[in-house]
PDB file of all heavy atoms in Angstrom:
ATOM      1  N   LYS A   1     -68.921 -69.239 174.273  1.00  0.00           N
ATOM      2  CA  LYS A   1     -67.488 -68.877 174.369  1.00  0.00           C
ATOM      3  C   LYS A   1     -67.074 -68.211 173.069  1.00  0.00           C
ATOM      4  O   LYS A   1     -67.369 -68.696 171.904  1.00  0.00           O
ATOM      5  CB  LYS A   1     -66.593 -70.057 174.659  1.00  0.00           C
ATOM      6  CG  LYS A   1     -65.147 -69.811 174.761  1.00  0.00           C
ATOM      7  CD  LYS A   1     -64.301 -71.067 174.888  1.00  0.00           C
ATOM      8  CE  LYS A   1     -64.519 -71.706 176.244  1.00  0.00           C
ATOM      9  NZ  LYS A   1     -63.636 -72.845 176.430  1.00  0.00           N
ATOM     10  N   VAL A   2     -66.406 -67.059 173.137  1.00  0.00           N
ATOM     11  CA  VAL A   2     -66.006 -66.295 172.001  1.00  0.00           C
ATOM     12  C   VAL A   2     -64.535 -66.214 171.995  1.00  0.00           C
ATOM     13  O   VAL A   2     -63.890 -65.847 173.024  1.00  0.00           O
ATOM     14  CB  VAL A   2     -66.626 -64.850 171.993  1.00  0.00           C
ATOM     15  CG1 VAL A   2     -66.238 -64.113 170.788  1.00  0.00           C
ATOM     16  CG2 VAL A   2     -68.182 -64.916 172.118  1.00  0.00           C
ATOM     17  N   ILE A   3     -63.903 -66.557 170.810  1.00  0.00           N
ATOM     18  CA  ILE A   3     -62.450 -66.466 170.717  1.00  0.00           C
ATOM     19  C   ILE A   3     -62.082 -65.326 169.736  1.00  0.00           C
ATOM     20  O   ILE A   3     -62.433 -65.444 168.558  1.00  0.00           O
ATOM     21  CB  ILE A   3     -61.859 -67.847 170.305  1.00  0.00           C
ATOM     22  CG1 ILE A   3     -62.158 -68.980 171.298  1.00  0.00           C
ATOM     23  CG2 ILE A   3     -60.368 -67.722 170.028  1.00  0.00           C
ATOM     24  CD1 ILE A   3     -63.441 -69.724 171.091  1.00  0.00           C
ATOM     25  N   PHE A   4     -61.414 -64.355 170.260  1.00  0.00           N
ATOM     26  CA  PHE A   4     -60.971 -63.246 169.357  1.00  0.00           C
ATOM     27  C   PHE A   4     -59.718 -63.696 168.646  1.00  0.00           C
ATOM     28  O   PHE A   4     -58.911 -64.477 169.089  1.00  0.00           O
ATOM     29  CB  PHE A   4     -60.634 -62.059 170.188  1.00  0.00           C
ATOM     30  CG  PHE A   4     -61.733 -60.994 170.275  1.00  0.00           C
ATOM     31  CD1 PHE A   4     -63.052 -61.303 170.251  1.00  0.00           C
ATOM     32  CD2 PHE A   4     -61.423 -59.649 170.235  1.00  0.00           C
ATOM     33  CE1 PHE A   4     -64.071 -60.389 170.295  1.00  0.00           C
ATOM     34  CE2 PHE A   4     -62.412 -58.658 170.235  1.00  0.00           C
ATOM     35  CZ  PHE A   4     -63.743 -59.038 170.242  1.00  0.00           C
ATOM     36  N   ALA A   5     -59.543 -63.139 167.386  1.00  0.00           N
ATOM     37  CA  ALA A   5     -58.419 -63.399 166.625  1.00  0.00           C
ATOM     38  C   ALA A   5     -57.196 -62.785 167.146  1.00  0.00           C
ATOM     39  O   ALA A   5     -57.224 -61.510 167.475  1.00  0.00           O
ATOM     40  CB  ALA A   5     -58.631 -63.001 165.153  1.00  0.00           C
ATOM     41  N   ALA A   6     -56.088 -63.450 167.417  1.00  0.00           N
ATOM     42  CA  ALA A   6     -54.895 -62.896 167.974  1.00  0.00           C
ATOM     43  C   ALA A   6     -54.194 -61.942 167.091  1.00  0.00           C
ATOM     44  O   ALA A   6     -53.487 -61.000 167.565  1.00  0.00           O
ATOM     45  CB  ALA A   6     -53.908 -64.019 168.350  1.00  0.00           C
ATOM     46  N   ASP A   7     -54.385 -61.964 165.756  1.00  0.00           N
ATOM     47  CA  ASP A   7     -53.700 -61.102 164.888  1.00  0.00           C
ATOM     48  C   ASP A   7     -54.469 -59.792 164.542  1.00  0.00           C
ATOM     49  O   ASP A   7     -54.080 -59.044 163.656  1.00  0.00           O
ATOM     50  CB  ASP A   7     -53.428 -61.792 163.492  1.00  0.00           C
ATOM     51  CG  ASP A   7     -54.622 -62.315 162.793  1.00  0.00           C
ATOM     52  OD1 ASP A   7     -55.793 -62.167 163.424  1.00  0.00           O
ATOM     53  OD2 ASP A   7     -54.506 -62.858 161.713  1.00  0.00           O
ATOM     54  N   VAL A   8     -55.526 -59.529 165.326  1.00  0.00           N
ATOM     55  CA  VAL A   8     -56.240 -58.270 165.096  1.00  0.00           C
ATOM     56  C   VAL A   8     -55.391 -57.115 165.583  1.00  0.00           C
ATOM     57  O   VAL A   8     -54.888 -57.093 166.683  1.00  0.00           O
ATOM     58  CB  VAL A   8     -57.597 -58.219 165.929  1.00  0.00           C
ATOM     59  CG1 VAL A   8     -58.228 -56.867 165.940  1.00  0.00           C
ATOM     60  CG2 VAL A   8     -58.553 -59.295 165.354  1.00  0.00           C
ATOM     61  N   SER A   9     -55.173 -56.180 164.665  1.00  0.00           N
ATOM     62  CA  SER A   9     -54.264 -55.080 164.976  1.00  0.00           C
ATOM     63  C   SER A   9     -54.925 -53.922 165.752  1.00  0.00           C
ATOM     64  O   SER A   9     -56.166 -53.859 165.675  1.00  0.00           O
ATOM     65  CB  SER A   9     -53.678 -54.488 163.658  1.00  0.00           C
ATOM     66  OG  SER A   9     -54.718 -53.867 162.887  1.00  0.00           O
ATOM     67  N   ASP A  10     -54.111 -53.035 166.398  1.00  0.00           N
ATOM     68  CA  ASP A  10     -54.586 -51.921 167.001  1.00  0.00           C
ATOM     69  C   ASP A  10     -55.354 -50.985 166.013  1.00  0.00           C
ATOM     70  O   ASP A  10     -56.428 -50.383 166.312  1.00  0.00           O
ATOM     71  CB  ASP A  10     -53.551 -51.153 167.718  1.00  0.00           C
ATOM     72  CG  ASP A  10     -53.003 -51.810 168.949  1.00  0.00           C
ATOM     73  OD1 ASP A  10     -53.621 -52.829 169.363  1.00  0.00           O
ATOM     74  OD2 ASP A  10     -52.011 -51.273 169.497  1.00  0.00           O
ATOM     75  N   GLU A  11     -54.771 -50.964 164.783  1.00  0.00           N
ATOM     76  CA  GLU A  11     -55.406 -50.060 163.738  1.00  0.00           C
ATOM     77  C   GLU A  11     -56.784 -50.608 163.342  1.00  0.00           C
ATOM     78  O   GLU A  11     -57.733 -49.714 163.172  1.00  0.00           O
ATOM     79  CB  GLU A  11     -54.499 -50.112 162.453  1.00  0.00           C
ATOM     80  CG  GLU A  11     -53.187 -49.365 162.719  1.00  0.00           C
ATOM     81  CD  GLU A  11     -52.171 -50.170 163.489  1.00  0.00           C
ATOM     82  OE1 GLU A  11     -52.339 -51.365 163.618  1.00  0.00           O
ATOM     83  OE2 GLU A  11     -51.207 -49.519 164.027  1.00  0.00           O
ATOM     84  N   LEU A  12     -56.974 -51.921 163.293  1.00  0.00           N
ATOM     85  CA  LEU A  12     -58.305 -52.406 162.931  1.00  0.00           C
ATOM     86  C   LEU A  12     -59.332 -52.131 164.043  1.00  0.00           C
ATOM     87  O   LEU A  12     -60.452 -51.740 163.804  1.00  0.00           O
ATOM     88  CB  LEU A  12     -58.255 -53.953 162.672  1.00  0.00           C
ATOM     89  CG  LEU A  12     -59.573 -54.560 162.340  1.00  0.00           C
ATOM     90  CD1 LEU A  12     -60.237 -53.976 161.148  1.00  0.00           C
ATOM     91  CD2 LEU A  12     -59.399 -56.138 162.141  1.00  0.00           C
ATOM     92  N   ILE A  13     -58.816 -52.285 165.352  1.00  0.00           N
ATOM     93  CA  ILE A  13     -59.707 -51.995 166.464  1.00  0.00           C
ATOM     94  C   ILE A  13     -60.095 -50.537 166.436  1.00  0.00           C
ATOM     95  O   ILE A  13     -61.351 -50.230 166.652  1.00  0.00           O
ATOM     96  CB  ILE A  13     -59.035 -52.384 167.749  1.00  0.00           C
ATOM     97  CG1 ILE A  13     -58.969 -53.902 167.989  1.00  0.00           C
ATOM     98  CG2 ILE A  13     -59.759 -51.757 168.961  1.00  0.00           C
ATOM     99  CD1 ILE A  13     -58.196 -54.378 169.176  1.00  0.00           C
ATOM    100  N   GLU A  14     -59.189 -49.642 166.212  1.00  0.00           N
ATOM    101  CA  GLU A  14     -59.493 -48.199 166.207  1.00  0.00           C
ATOM    102  C   GLU A  14     -60.394 -47.895 165.066  1.00  0.00           C
ATOM    103  O   GLU A  14     -61.357 -47.093 165.166  1.00  0.00           O
ATOM    104  CB  GLU A  14     -58.244 -47.399 166.177  1.00  0.00           C
ATOM    105  CG  GLU A  14     -57.437 -47.504 167.465  1.00  0.00           C
ATOM    106  CD  GLU A  14     -55.999 -47.011 167.278  1.00  0.00           C
ATOM    107  OE1 GLU A  14     -55.600 -46.428 166.258  1.00  0.00           O
ATOM    108  OE2 GLU A  14     -55.187 -47.118 168.285  1.00  0.00           O
ATOM    109  N   ALA A  15     -60.179 -48.486 163.889  1.00  0.00           N
ATOM    110  CA  ALA A  15     -61.082 -48.216 162.755  1.00  0.00           C
ATOM    111  C   ALA A  15     -62.499 -48.795 163.021  1.00  0.00           C
ATOM    112  O   ALA A  15     -63.481 -48.127 162.617  1.00  0.00           O
ATOM    113  CB  ALA A  15     -60.484 -48.901 161.520  1.00  0.00           C
ATOM    114  N   TYR A  16     -62.603 -49.883 163.639  1.00  0.00           N
ATOM    115  CA  TYR A  16     -63.853 -50.439 164.021  1.00  0.00           C
ATOM    116  C   TYR A  16     -64.624 -49.565 164.992  1.00  0.00           C
ATOM    117  O   TYR A  16     -65.861 -49.320 164.803  1.00  0.00           O
ATOM    118  CB  TYR A  16     -63.802 -51.872 164.572  1.00  0.00           C
ATOM    119  CG  TYR A  16     -65.094 -52.448 164.942  1.00  0.00           C
ATOM    120  CD1 TYR A  16     -66.022 -52.829 164.049  1.00  0.00           C
ATOM    121  CD2 TYR A  16     -65.388 -52.597 166.337  1.00  0.00           C
ATOM    122  CE1 TYR A  16     -67.250 -53.359 164.445  1.00  0.00           C
ATOM    123  CE2 TYR A  16     -66.654 -53.116 166.705  1.00  0.00           C
ATOM    124  CZ  TYR A  16     -67.560 -53.502 165.765  1.00  0.00           C
ATOM    125  OH  TYR A  16     -68.807 -53.931 166.134  1.00  0.00           O
ATOM    126  N   VAL A  17     -63.931 -49.104 165.973  1.00  0.00           N
ATOM    127  CA  VAL A  17     -64.553 -48.219 166.990  1.00  0.00           C
ATOM    128  C   VAL A  17     -65.136 -46.968 166.263  1.00  0.00           C
ATOM    129  O   VAL A  17     -66.251 -46.505 166.700  1.00  0.00           O
ATOM    130  CB  VAL A  17     -63.579 -47.804 168.065  1.00  0.00           C
ATOM    131  CG1 VAL A  17     -64.086 -46.688 168.923  1.00  0.00           C
ATOM    132  CG2 VAL A  17     -63.252 -49.047 168.888  1.00  0.00           C
ATOM    133  N   LYS A  18     -64.432 -46.430 165.288  1.00  0.00           N
ATOM    134  CA  LYS A  18     -64.951 -45.274 164.621  1.00  0.00           C
ATOM    135  C   LYS A  18     -66.162 -45.515 163.771  1.00  0.00           C
ATOM    136  O   LYS A  18     -66.839 -44.548 163.444  1.00  0.00           O
ATOM    137  CB  LYS A  18     -63.843 -44.699 163.678  1.00  0.00           C
ATOM    138  CG  LYS A  18     -62.685 -44.067 164.481  1.00  0.00           C
ATOM    139  CD  LYS A  18     -61.564 -43.571 163.583  1.00  0.00           C
ATOM    140  CE  LYS A  18     -60.444 -43.012 164.351  1.00  0.00           C
ATOM    141  NZ  LYS A  18     -59.247 -42.534 163.543  1.00  0.00           N
ATOM    142  N   THR A  19     -66.458 -46.715 163.438  1.00  0.00           N
ATOM    143  CA  THR A  19     -67.743 -47.030 162.716  1.00  0.00           C
ATOM    144  C   THR A  19     -68.919 -46.821 163.602  1.00  0.00           C
ATOM    145  O   THR A  19     -70.050 -46.689 163.160  1.00  0.00           O
ATOM    146  CB  THR A  19     -67.715 -48.494 162.189  1.00  0.00           C
ATOM    147  OG1 THR A  19     -67.844 -49.405 163.286  1.00  0.00           O
ATOM    148  CG2 THR A  19     -66.496 -48.757 161.343  1.00  0.00           C
ATOM    149  N   ARG A  20     -68.729 -46.882 164.944  1.00  0.00           N
ATOM    150  CA  ARG A  20     -69.748 -46.726 165.968  1.00  0.00           C
ATOM    151  C   ARG A  20     -70.793 -47.966 165.951  1.00  0.00           C
ATOM    152  O   ARG A  20     -71.854 -47.854 166.494  1.00  0.00           O
ATOM    153  CB  ARG A  20     -70.505 -45.431 165.792  1.00  0.00           C
ATOM    154  CG  ARG A  20     -69.638 -44.182 166.080  1.00  0.00           C
ATOM    155  CD  ARG A  20     -69.052 -44.242 167.523  1.00  0.00           C
ATOM    156  NE  ARG A  20     -68.410 -42.909 167.863  1.00  0.00           N
ATOM    157  CZ  ARG A  20     -67.094 -42.735 167.861  1.00  0.00           C
ATOM    158  NH1 ARG A  20     -66.268 -43.731 167.413  1.00  0.00           N
ATOM    159  NH2 ARG A  20     -66.596 -41.541 168.205  1.00  0.00           N
ATOM    160  N   GLU A  21     -70.409 -49.039 165.242  1.00  0.00           N
ATOM    161  CA  GLU A  21     -71.335 -50.173 165.186  1.00  0.00           C
ATOM    162  C   GLU A  21     -71.546 -50.806 166.637  1.00  0.00           C
ATOM    163  O   GLU A  21     -72.555 -51.249 166.907  1.00  0.00           O
ATOM    164  CB  GLU A  21     -70.762 -51.271 164.288  1.00  0.00           C
ATOM    165  CG  GLU A  21     -71.671 -52.518 164.146  1.00  0.00           C
ATOM    166  CD  GLU A  21     -71.005 -53.586 163.396  1.00  0.00           C
ATOM    167  OE1 GLU A  21     -70.066 -54.285 163.848  1.00  0.00           O
ATOM    168  OE2 GLU A  21     -71.434 -53.824 162.208  1.00  0.00           O
ATOM    169  N   GLY A  22     -70.456 -50.724 167.352  1.00  0.00           N
ATOM    170  CA  GLY A  22     -70.519 -51.500 168.662  1.00  0.00           C
ATOM    171  C   GLY A  22     -70.890 -50.707 169.883  1.00  0.00           C
ATOM    172  O   GLY A  22     -70.775 -51.158 170.981  1.00  0.00           O
ATOM    173  N   VAL A  23     -71.327 -49.427 169.603  1.00  0.00           N
ATOM    174  CA  VAL A  23     -71.530 -48.544 170.836  1.00  0.00           C
ATOM    175  C   VAL A  23     -72.736 -49.059 171.707  1.00  0.00           C
ATOM    176  O   VAL A  23     -72.696 -48.733 172.913  1.00  0.00           O
ATOM    177  CB  VAL A  23     -71.743 -47.086 170.407  1.00  0.00           C
ATOM    178  CG1 VAL A  23     -70.557 -46.509 169.698  1.00  0.00           C
ATOM    179  CG2 VAL A  23     -73.012 -46.983 169.492  1.00  0.00           C
ATOM    180  N   ASP A  24     -73.637 -49.743 171.073  1.00  0.00           N
ATOM    181  CA  ASP A  24     -74.864 -50.110 171.931  1.00  0.00           C
ATOM    182  C   ASP A  24     -74.817 -51.620 172.207  1.00  0.00           C
ATOM    183  O   ASP A  24     -75.874 -52.226 172.526  1.00  0.00           O
ATOM    184  CB  ASP A  24     -76.146 -49.786 171.122  1.00  0.00           C
ATOM    185  CG  ASP A  24     -76.215 -50.553 169.804  1.00  0.00           C
ATOM    186  OD1 ASP A  24     -75.138 -50.932 169.240  1.00  0.00           O
ATOM    187  OD2 ASP A  24     -77.301 -50.670 169.305  1.00  0.00           O
ATOM    188  N   LYS A  25     -73.661 -52.204 172.217  1.00  0.00           N
ATOM    189  CA  LYS A  25     -73.592 -53.682 172.431  1.00  0.00           C
ATOM    190  C   LYS A  25     -72.655 -54.028 173.488  1.00  0.00           C
ATOM    191  O   LYS A  25     -71.562 -53.416 173.699  1.00  0.00           O
ATOM    192  CB  LYS A  25     -73.060 -54.337 171.118  1.00  0.00           C
ATOM    193  CG  LYS A  25     -74.001 -54.115 169.878  1.00  0.00           C
ATOM    194  CD  LYS A  25     -73.371 -54.584 168.599  1.00  0.00           C
ATOM    195  CE  LYS A  25     -74.335 -54.310 167.398  1.00  0.00           C
ATOM    196  NZ  LYS A  25     -74.599 -52.911 167.249  1.00  0.00           N
ATOM    197  N   ALA A  26     -73.025 -55.056 174.273  1.00  0.00           N
ATOM    198  CA  ALA A  26     -72.223 -55.549 175.428  1.00  0.00           C
ATOM    199  C   ALA A  26     -70.864 -56.037 174.860  1.00  0.00           C
ATOM    200  O   ALA A  26     -70.808 -56.782 173.849  1.00  0.00           O
ATOM    201  CB  ALA A  26     -72.869 -56.666 176.102  1.00  0.00           C
ATOM    202  N   GLY A  27     -69.783 -55.552 175.409  1.00  0.00           N
ATOM    203  CA  GLY A  27     -68.431 -55.955 174.905  1.00  0.00           C
ATOM    204  C   GLY A  27     -67.941 -55.025 173.878  1.00  0.00           C
ATOM    205  O   GLY A  27     -66.756 -55.089 173.474  1.00  0.00           O
ATOM    206  N   GLY A  28     -68.842 -54.227 173.210  1.00  0.00           N
ATOM    207  CA  GLY A  28     -68.462 -53.225 172.199  1.00  0.00           C
ATOM    208  C   GLY A  28     -68.235 -53.750 170.814  1.00  0.00           C
ATOM    209  O   GLY A  28     -67.597 -53.074 170.034  1.00  0.00           O
ATOM    210  N   TYR A  29     -68.808 -54.983 170.491  1.00  0.00           N
ATOM    211  CA  TYR A  29     -68.715 -55.449 169.092  1.00  0.00           C
ATOM    212  C   TYR A  29     -70.027 -56.128 168.733  1.00  0.00           C
ATOM    213  O   TYR A  29     -70.699 -56.732 169.534  1.00  0.00           O
ATOM    214  CB  TYR A  29     -67.509 -56.402 168.946  1.00  0.00           C
ATOM    215  CG  TYR A  29     -67.663 -57.694 169.706  1.00  0.00           C
ATOM    216  CD1 TYR A  29     -68.175 -58.823 169.126  1.00  0.00           C
ATOM    217  CD2 TYR A  29     -67.223 -57.785 171.029  1.00  0.00           C
ATOM    218  CE1 TYR A  29     -68.271 -60.042 169.805  1.00  0.00           C
ATOM    219  CE2 TYR A  29     -67.359 -58.996 171.765  1.00  0.00           C
ATOM    220  CZ  TYR A  29     -67.871 -60.088 171.141  1.00  0.00           C
ATOM    221  OH  TYR A  29     -68.001 -61.272 171.814  1.00  0.00           O
ATOM    222  N   GLY A  30     -70.319 -56.161 167.426  1.00  0.00           N
ATOM    223  CA  GLY A  30     -71.472 -56.829 166.904  1.00  0.00           C
ATOM    224  C   GLY A  30     -71.071 -57.967 166.025  1.00  0.00           C
ATOM    225  O   GLY A  30     -70.471 -57.781 164.930  1.00  0.00           O
ATOM    226  N   LEU A  31     -71.267 -59.205 166.491  1.00  0.00           N
ATOM    227  CA  LEU A  31     -70.898 -60.380 165.783  1.00  0.00           C
ATOM    228  C   LEU A  31     -71.544 -60.503 164.421  1.00  0.00           C
ATOM    229  O   LEU A  31     -71.067 -61.070 163.480  1.00  0.00           O
ATOM    230  CB  LEU A  31     -71.178 -61.640 166.599  1.00  0.00           C
ATOM    231  CG  LEU A  31     -70.617 -62.983 166.027  1.00  0.00           C
ATOM    232  CD1 LEU A  31     -69.115 -63.007 165.892  1.00  0.00           C
ATOM    233  CD2 LEU A  31     -71.117 -64.140 166.924  1.00  0.00           C
ATOM    234  N   GLN A  32     -72.805 -59.945 164.323  1.00  0.00           N
ATOM    235  CA  GLN A  32     -73.519 -59.989 163.140  1.00  0.00           C
ATOM    236  C   GLN A  32     -73.127 -58.990 162.070  1.00  0.00           C
ATOM    237  O   GLN A  32     -73.642 -59.017 160.980  1.00  0.00           O
ATOM    238  CB  GLN A  32     -75.039 -59.848 163.388  1.00  0.00           C
ATOM    239  CG  GLN A  32     -75.400 -58.414 163.783  1.00  0.00           C
ATOM    240  CD  GLN A  32     -75.156 -58.066 165.249  1.00  0.00           C
ATOM    241  OE1 GLN A  32     -74.353 -58.676 165.925  1.00  0.00           O
ATOM    242  NE2 GLN A  32     -75.913 -57.084 165.777  1.00  0.00           N
ATOM    243  N   GLY A  33     -72.195 -58.152 162.362  1.00  0.00           N
ATOM    244  CA  GLY A  33     -71.777 -57.117 161.444  1.00  0.00           C
ATOM    245  C   GLY A  33     -70.283 -57.095 161.259  1.00  0.00           C
ATOM    246  O   GLY A  33     -69.630 -58.164 161.210  1.00  0.00           O
ATOM    247  N   MET A  34     -69.751 -55.909 161.180  1.00  0.00           N
ATOM    248  CA  MET A  34     -68.241 -55.750 161.042  1.00  0.00           C
ATOM    249  C   MET A  34     -67.478 -56.279 162.225  1.00  0.00           C
ATOM    250  O   MET A  34     -66.303 -56.583 162.112  1.00  0.00           O
ATOM    251  CB  MET A  34     -67.889 -54.327 160.682  1.00  0.00           C
ATOM    252  CG  MET A  34     -68.344 -53.779 159.345  1.00  0.00           C
ATOM    253  SD  MET A  34     -67.907 -52.043 159.134  1.00  0.00           S
ATOM    254  CE  MET A  34     -69.146 -51.247 160.208  1.00  0.00           C
ATOM    255  N   GLY A  35     -68.105 -56.374 163.338  1.00  0.00           N
ATOM    256  CA  GLY A  35     -67.381 -56.940 164.501  1.00  0.00           C
ATOM    257  C   GLY A  35     -66.911 -58.360 164.334  1.00  0.00           C
ATOM    258  O   GLY A  35     -66.076 -58.819 165.024  1.00  0.00           O
ATOM    259  N   SER A  36     -67.472 -59.096 163.303  1.00  0.00           N
ATOM    260  CA  SER A  36     -67.035 -60.466 163.063  1.00  0.00           C
ATOM    261  C   SER A  36     -65.575 -60.494 162.541  1.00  0.00           C
ATOM    262  O   SER A  36     -64.893 -61.484 162.642  1.00  0.00           O
ATOM    263  CB  SER A  36     -67.942 -61.073 161.961  1.00  0.00           C
ATOM    264  OG  SER A  36     -67.886 -60.358 160.784  1.00  0.00           O
TER     265      SER A  36
END
């Protein structure tokens, strides 16, 4: 079970997407990296 932080902003999500770290991962984030 994974619980996302409620205070994550749209800006942080958009900035994370631009890193392209999560493009090859189910759900679009890497827990072992910046996705944490």
Side-chain angles (χ1 to χ4, degrees):
K1 182 184 290 186
V2 182
I3 298 91
F4 260 37
D7 59 354
V8 170
S9 66
D10 288 353
E11 290 75 18
L12 178 58
I13 287 176
E14 291 167 7
Y16 176 71
V17 168
K18 289 178 181 177
T19 70
R20 297 297 190 262
E21 179 187 74
V23 297
D24 63 337
K25 299 170 179 64
Y29 66 94
L31 185 62
Q32 72 277 25
M34 291 179 284
S36 63

